[in-house]
Amino acid sequence: DIATLSEDELKDALSGVQTETITEEMNIVDMLVNANILSSKREAREFVNNGSISINGEKINSLDTLVNRDKALYNKYIVVRRGKKKYYLVIFK
């Protein structure tokens, strides 16, 4: 479970994944596109509606989900899983 990892364990576990940064709270669809996880808002909406997106181990089913520091691990890391095997790290700056 990602939420139980220490900050150092989290960094080590995700050292090889695509990492992007964001600076502000945003809607899940906008975050997926701005962090280059998905290429379009249409594609992002489709993935969310299909239940194929998880943030920090929690499945996202609502297009109204806001991604902010409250959802971030250690107030800065968002681990996004797309599908079953693709992981991305989004860092709040």
Side-chain angles (χ1 to χ4, degrees):
D1 184 22
I2 290 173
T4 63
L5 297 176
S6 72
E7 188 170 357
D8 289 333
E9 290 171 332
L10 184 66
K11 285 184 203 176
D12 288 342
L14 298 170
S15 63
V17 302
Q18 177 181 326
T19 303
E20 300 289 338
T21 59
I22 59 175
T23 57
E24 61 190 25
E25 173 182 284
M26 59 181 69
N27 177 282
I28 184 68
V29 172
D30 294 331
M31 189 276 298
L32 291 169
V33 174
N34 289 342
N36 298 313
I37 295 169
L38 294 166
S39 59
S40 70
K41 288 186 177 188
R42 182 205 55 80
E43 185 179 32
R45 285 190 295 272
E46 189 175 304
F47 270 79
V48 171
N49 284 332
N50 289 335
S52 300
I53 299 294
S54 295
I55 290 183
N56 298 335
E58 179 183 329
K59 197 168 280 235
I60 303 300
N61 293 314
S62 172
L63 295 173
D64 296 327
T65 301
L66 286 179
V67 178
N68 54 30
R69 289 189 185 271
D70 293 339
K71 290 201 182 302
L73 298 173
Y74 304 103
N75 209 26
K76 86 189 235 189
Y77 301 108
I78 300 284
V79 179
V80 179
R81 189 180 86 203
R82 185 184 92 189
K84 291 185 180 185
K85 297 182 181 178
K86 297 200 185 252
Y87 285 87
Y88 304 86
L89 181 61
V90 178
I91 301 173
F92 273 101
K93 287 283 180 182

